């Protein structure tokens, strides 16, 4: 029985740790069946592009683990789904502003005769393009999307149409696209937001922004979380994702009636309740099914790693369908009594788990914001999982960012990371920038790093409660801010299908 128990704990640790370090890729059982609506990473940060200090950048990544060579049908988003970014600007865990993205896939059937010359009534080609793919007439499918801003409830609030935009085709390869970076940048468009100003929007394929040594993780956690930070390989380096990116004036996001600069945000995707499969589809595109009924939320992402490292397996689908206002009622035990620290202690006895139960320090990190840094001023603040950003925190240039973010203020936590700024509170969990190492931060916070931060009493733990709280936990993979662009949309050009 003793050996069986140890094996069971080790197996549990493998499952929890593997998902914990994979950001939000395939994090729940049901979402694995519908990758087009699987949110992988969510970013929100004060823009650090030059001369953009009055803006917030928000990026929602979807459709994980894209192999760049995945043709002839590449990685269109779901034209039967509704993708949304929600903003809470008064701390009540209910959306005050929602940006909706509704996609349409269009068919431009290209037909040729037996000599390979264009013709209007011959045989349709099997590939996605016939010639230079930067020319729309040479590509068989295209995507456009409508952006709508909703004030109040996401379904019943007041709606403002912000325009219709086009999405660049995915990076087929260097023969189809002679200059993909320039082509993709042409799809960055102004977004007129009325009286509060003008933002920017871009939707398109980007290089995977998350870094992790997944091979070692799945090989019975064949890595040392107390080892060298540069000891891992980023297995996701050759993968792409699809980004929904916005840059919005801060004045459009903060509460106009208050003086609180803190906002919260999360992204969701919803599909129609009913699907009727057509057993005899017509020629065309997206003709195999008819969908109808009310919008039903199937994906949710705010803080990274919550559904992976905090929520139990049986409730992962439930979390994806839930709203932040219900988090305490539905999921509080997972935050108060987390299992990951105990599992880490089992594998690594030299790293004892924190003893301050219930874990109010995790409530601070994941549900309320950190006092004096990004906690909303609302005295009736509703604890909820979302990214919280203090829009008044000055942005830090990419070369000066410390990828430990807020916990860089903890003595001993800065383990030799290149940064001209020793302490950097402009990063995770004060929002999240592309270069923030959220895996290392989450591991350290789960093991009690905040107990060593000297923060106000909200944290309700002290160094004695977390003996391993200053240990330099790491997954070994590194992707600093300097590996991203320093201009909108910040994420790099995707990997081409062929070179």
């Amino acid at each position: 029985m003793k050996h069986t128990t140890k094996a069971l704990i080790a197996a549990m640790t493998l499952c929890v740790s593997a998902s914990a370090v994979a950001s939000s890729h395939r994090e729940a059982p049901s979402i694995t069946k519908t990758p087009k609506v699987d949110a992988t990473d969510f970013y929100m940060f004060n823009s650090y592009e030059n001369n953009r200090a009055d803006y917030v950048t928000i990026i929602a990544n979807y459709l994980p683990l894209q192999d760049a060579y995945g043709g002839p049908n590449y990685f269109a988003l779901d034209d039967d789904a509704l993708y949304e970014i929600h903003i809470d600007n008064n701390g009540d865990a209910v959306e005050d502003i929602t940006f909706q993205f509704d996609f349409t896939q269009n068919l431009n059937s290209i037909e040729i005769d037996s000599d390979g010359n264009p013709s209007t009534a011959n045989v349709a080609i099997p590939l996605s393009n016939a010639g230079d793919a930067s020319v729309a007439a040479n590509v068989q499918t295209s995507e456009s999307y409508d952006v709508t801003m909703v004030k109040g409830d996401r379904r019943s609030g007041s709606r403002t149409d912000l325009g219709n935009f086009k999405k660049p085709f995915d990076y087929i390869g260097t023969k189809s696209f002679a200059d993909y970076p320039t082509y993709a940048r042409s799809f960055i468009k102004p977004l007129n937001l009325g009286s509060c100003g003008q933002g920017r929007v871009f939707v398109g394929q980007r290089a995977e922004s998350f870094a992790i040594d997944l091979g070692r993780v799945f090989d019975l956690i064949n890595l040392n979380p107390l080892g060298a930070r540069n000891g891992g390989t980023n297995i996701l380096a050759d993968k792409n994702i699809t980004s929904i990116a916005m840059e919005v004036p801060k004045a459009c996001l903060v509460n106009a009636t208050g003086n609180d600069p803190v906002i919260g945000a999360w992204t969701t995707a919803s599909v129609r309740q009913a699907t009727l499969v057509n057993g005899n589809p017509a020629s065309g595109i997206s003709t195999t099914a008819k969908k109808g009924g009310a919008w039903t939320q199937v994906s949710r992402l705010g803080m990274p790693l919550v559904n992976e490292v905090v929520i139990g397996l049986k409730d992962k689908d439930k979390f994806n369908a839930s709203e932040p206002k219900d988090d305490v009622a539905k999921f509080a035990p997972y935050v108060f009594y987390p299992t990951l620290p105990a599992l880490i202690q089992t594998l690594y006895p030299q790293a004892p788990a924190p003893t301050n139960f219930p874990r109010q320090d995790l409530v601070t990190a994941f549900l309320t914001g950190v006092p004096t840094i990004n906690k909303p001023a609302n005295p009736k603040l509703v604890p909820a999982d979302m990214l919280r950003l203090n829009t008044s925190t000055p942005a830090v240039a990419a070369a000066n960012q410390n990828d430990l973010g807020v916990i860089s203020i903890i003595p001993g936590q800065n383990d030799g990371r290149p940064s001209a700024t020793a302490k950097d509170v402009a990063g995770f969990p004060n929002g999240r920038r592309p270069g923030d190492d959220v895996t290392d931060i989450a591991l350290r916070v789960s093991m009690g790093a905040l107990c060593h931060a000297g923060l106000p009493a909200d944290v309700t733990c002290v160094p004695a409660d977390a003996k391993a709280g200053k240990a330099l936990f790491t997954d070994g993979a590194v992707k600093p801010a300097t590996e991203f662009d320093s201009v909108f949309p910040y994420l790099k050009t995707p990997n081409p299908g062929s070179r």
Side-chain angles (χ1 to χ4, degrees), residues 185-206:
R185 280 197 298 271
S186 71
F187 290 83
I188 299 174
K189 298 299 181 181
L191 191 65
N192 186 357
L193 292 157
S195 61
C196 62
Q198 181 175 281
R200 290 186 286 183
V201 66
F202 171 84
V203 176
Q205 191 179 52
R206 296 282 88 189

Side-chain angles (χ1 to χ4, degrees), residues 12-23 212 214 217-218 221 308:
M12 290 171 61
T13 308
L14 171 63
C15 294
V16 173
S17 297
S19 60
V21 293
S23 194
I212 181 62
L214 279 179
V217 168
F218 290 125
I221 320 178
E308 297 78 11

Side-chain angles (χ1 to χ4, degrees), residues 347-399:
L347 277 182
Y348 301 93
Q350 69 272 35
T355 56
N356 55 305
F357 297 110
R359 290 288 302 276
Q360 185 63 38
D361 57 323
L362 296 189
V363 173
T364 297
F366 290 113
L367 302 183
T368 67
V370 180
T372 73
I373 294 175
N374 70 330
K375 183 176 181 179
N378 185 353
K380 296 182 180 180
L381 170 69
V382 177
D385 166 45
M386 63 182 75
L387 270 182
R388 298 188 189 274
L389 173 69
N390 189 330
T391 61
S392 68
T393 304
V396 175

